[in-house]
Amino acid sequence: MLQVYSDCSFKDGQAVLAAIVVTGRTFIGSVIEPVECESAHIGEVLALERGLQLAANAFRNTQAISCYCDNESAVKKLQYMKKFDTANFTGDGYDAVMRIREIMRKHNVSFYYIRGHKTSRDAHVVCDFSSRILLTRILKNAVCSDCAGLEHSLQ
């Protein structure tokens, strides 16, 4: 079974998402990037979507994918969408939700709320810390928000 752990940090109109995909003890992939969105809630949905894309692209055959997110509202809306096969999102997150819905048609996707900012070592904590660290660097103008500091740092 694949596990997607995701998180988004949002402050002052800037957001950074992070997602990690693992299966058992095997690392499949990760993403961390700044995004434009209007709220932390939408950022969490975008982080889930990016993680699901990584998982779906890694395997051609149907997979069971468990998604873990610390935004209870986002999880509940996605669980509702799965249960009733309806998209209950409008506005900024609609396109991401439609992409999630397409992945759900091919794979067996489940969404779980987990308590955020835990201190134990797990993949969700890595997403949490990664997104917060990069967001802090962007807000302090330590890195370029266009390339997420992966290409160069601002001097």
Side-chain angles (χ1 to χ4, degrees):
M1 174 183 293
L2 292 169
Q3 292 107 24
V4 173
Y5 295 88
S6 64
D7 201 15
C8 177
S9 293
F10 183 87
K11 185 176 181 182
D12 299 333
Q14 178 67 55
V16 173
L17 64 80
I20 294 174
V21 180
V22 296
T23 178
R25 293 184 176 263
T26 305
F27 174 78
I28 303 299
S30 67
V31 62
I32 179 169
E33 64 186 46
V35 293
E36 290 185 21
C37 60
E38 59 191 35
S39 68
H41 172 79
I42 299 302
E44 296 280 354
V45 172
L46 291 170
L48 279 166
E49 184 263 332
R50 296 294 199 287
L52 277 169
Q53 287 288 353
L54 282 173
N57 291 340
F59 296 91
R60 290 198 172 118
N61 56 335
T62 301
Q63 296 291 317
I65 306 172
S66 296
C67 300
Y68 300 92
C69 174
D70 66 1
N71 186 294
E72 191 171 14
S73 174
V75 169
K76 283 183 177 182
K77 286 186 175 187
L78 291 168
Q79 287 172 335
Y80 182 90
M81 181 178 76
K82 179 182 178 182
K83 183 176 182 179
F84 296 105
D85 192 28
T86 183
N88 56 340
F89 279 74
T90 58
D92 198 21
Y94 183 78
D95 290 341
V97 170
M98 291 299 100
R99 290 187 295 270
I100 290 171
R101 195 172 182 196
E102 284 302 312
I103 293 169
M104 288 170 53
R105 288 188 173 136
K106 180 175 181 186
H107 299 281
N108 182 15
V109 181
S110 300
F111 300 96
Y112 300 97
Y113 168 73
I114 57 172
R115 193 170 144 248
H117 312 290
K118 297 189 315 184
T119 57
S120 64
R121 294 181 182 178
D122 67 11
H124 183 263
V125 172
V126 173
C127 290
D128 182 25
F129 289 160
S130 299
S131 63
R132 281 196 274 164
I133 289 167
L134 184 55
L135 178 63
T136 301
R137 291 183 69 197
I138 289 171
L139 291 175
K140 290 182 178 180
N141 291 321
V143 296
C144 173
S145 62
D146 290 334
C147 69
L150 300 176
E151 295 176 15
H152 63 275
S153 293
L154 296 177
Q155 301 299 329

